[in-house]
Amino acid sequence: MPSPRRTLVVLATGGTIAGRAANAHDNVGYRAAALGVDELLHALPGGPGLTLETEDLARLDSKDMDHATWLCLVQRLAHHLARAQVQGAVVTHGTDTLEETAWLLHRVLAPRKPVVLTAAMRPASSLQADGPQNLADALAVAAAVEARGVLVVLAGQVFGAGDARKRHSWRLDAFTAGDAGAIAAIEQGALRRFREWPSAEPIGLDGLPADSSAWPWVEIVTSHAGARGAGVDALVHAGVRGLVVAGTGNATVHVDLAQALQRAQAAGVVVRLVTRCAAGPVLAGRDHRWPVYAALSAPQARVELMLELMQES
Ligand code: ASP
C-alpha cells in the first residue's frame, strides 16, 4: 500500500539563504530575507518527488528573530505535522539564531515526523551559493520515512536540535555538533546514519502563552574577569524573571557577580548556569550554587529557562 504521507511542507522565515547582494562577489554586504520560499525552491533542479506546500511565515534576518515569529512557527508546524498526508517539514532560517529555534521546536513539539531546519552562509546571489544544496539536502532528509525529530542540515551534515552550534562566522560548514557528532550525513540525496534520531517528551503547545509578549523575560549574563554585579541589579530592578549565567570553565562564577546573583535570587529571579566554553558539558560533582543545564549553549538555555518559567505560571 502506498504511504499516505506524500506531502512536504516548507516554511520560510528569511535568513541569508534568502539573501540577495548587488553583485555575485559580495558574500557580506547583502540583504537577508529578500526572496520568498517559492523563489528558493525554483533554484533547485528537481524536488524529492513529493508534493510541496509552501508558506512564507516571515522575512527576517534571524538576528532579529522574535517570540511572535517563534509562536507562529510552532503553531504552523503543529498544524501541519498533525495532518496524515504530511511526511515532514523543512524550515528555512538564518544561521545566527538557528540553534535557539531548533531547541524551542524540539522541546515544544519533539515530533515523530522530521522537522528539518536549514540555512546558508552565502546569499542566493553568490557565485557559489550554498543555499540550494542545503535546501535540496533538507528536503531529502524530510522526505526520508525513517527520519524523525527536529534536525539541522547544513553542508551535508545532519545534526540533532540540541547538539547544533554555530561555530564559525564565515565558513560554509559553520555548524558543529561538538563531541556528540552528526546524526547522519546526506550524500547525493542519500542518508548515512550514525546514531539515533532525537526524541523527547514534548511540552506541547498548551504550555505556551498564546500572547508571546507574555512570555517570561529571561536574559543571559556572562561571567568574566573584572565582572561586576551592577548589571544584574539593574536587570532585577527592570523586572527580569530569569537569568542564565554563562560561567567560566565548569560553570564557575566571578565572586562579585555571584553576590549580585544571590541578591537576584532573593528577589525571586530564577538563576541557571551553563558554561561559556564552546564545547564540552558541565560536570557534576562541583558544588554549583545554582542548577546547571549541563549540555546547552547559553542561548538554548535561555529558551529552556523561559519554558521552565512558563510551566510554573
Ligand atoms: N544574519 C543572517 C541570519 O541569521 C546570517 C545567516 O543566515 O547566515 O539571518
Side-chain angles (χ1 to χ4, degrees):
M1 205 172 96
S3 165
R5 288 164 51 169
R6 301 299 306 156
T7 299
L8 287 184
V9 177
V10 186
L11 305 179
T13 66
T16 295
I17 192 168
R20 196 154 44 192
N23 73 68
H25 295 280
D26 194 347
N27 290 321
V28 179
Y30 59 87
R31 187 163 66 86
L35 304 176
V37 61
D38 292 332
E39 290 169 285
L40 301 186
L41 288 166
H42 194 66
L44 304 187
L50 278 72
T51 305
L52 297 184
E53 288 180 17
T54 61
E55 285 177 30
D56 279 302
L57 288 192
R59 291 223 181 161
L60 283 175
D61 183 321
S62 81
K63 75 177 177 60
D64 299 323
M65 184 53 67
D66 52 52
H67 296 168
T69 306
W70 271 354
L71 182 60
C72 174
L73 179 60
V74 172
Q75 287 170 336
R76 293 310 292 156
L77 281 169
H79 163 77
H80 287 301
L81 294 171
R83 294 165 57 209
Q85 68 269 39
V86 170
Q87 151 63 25
V90 168
V91 178
T92 59
H93 199 286
T95 58
D96 287 343
T97 55
L98 189 142
E99 72 195 63
E100 300 167 49
T101 301
W103 186 250
L104 177 85
L105 298 178
H106 171 72
R107 294 290 281 119
V108 176
L109 299 174
R112 290 180 181 279
K113 296 177 179 180
V115 170
V116 185
L117 287 94
T118 195
M121 291 299 289
R122 290 179 182 161
S125 52
S126 171
L127 274 182
Q128 272 193 319
D130 53 329
Q133 185 64 57
N134 288 343
L135 182 53
D137 287 348
L139 289 168
V141 174
V145 176
E146 62 159 302
R148 58 174 288 175
V150 178
L151 304 164
V152 173
V153 168
L154 252 98
Q157 292 191 288
V158 184
F159 304 115
D163 306 324
R165 305 277 187 278
K166 185 173 180 182
R167 62 143 173 211
H168 204 279
S169 59
W170 168 248
R171 276 168 35 177
L172 300 192
D173 59 343
F175 278 73
T176 178
D179 297 337
I183 287 181
I186 177 89
E187 297 161 342
Q188 199 63 30
L191 269 176
R192 184 154 60 97
R193 186 153 65 88
F194 310 125
R195 55 193 186 83
E196 279 310 305
W197 302 108
S199 64
E201 200 49 52
I203 291 171
L205 262 177
D206 292 347
L208 299 188
D211 172 6
S212 64
S213 66
W215 290 16
W217 181 21
V218 177
E219 286 290 332
I220 300 169
V221 296
T222 303
S223 190
H224 52 82
R228 293 164 49 169
V232 166
D233 293 334
L235 283 167
V236 174
H237 185 70
V240 78
R241 297 255 331 268
L243 289 170
V244 168
V245 185
T248 37
N250 201 44
T252 49
V253 181
H254 189 289
V255 59
D256 292 351
L257 188 57
Q259 284 168 2
L261 291 168
Q262 275 181 295
R263 291 194 291 276
Q265 189 177 28
V269 175
V270 178
V271 179
R272 296 286 180 265
L273 301 175
V274 295
T275 177
R276 68 177 207 183
C277 293
V282 179
L283 301 182
R286 195 195 158 83
D287 192 16
H288 289 112
R289 196 173 287 167
W290 295 281
V292 171
Y293 295 137
L296 296 181
S297 68
Q300 288 174 325
R302 194 194 73 84
V303 173
E304 184 66 25
L305 180 50
M306 203 166 54
L307 293 171
E308 208 181 301
L309 293 172
M310 286 176 193
Q311 307 312 300
E312 281 171 11
S313 47

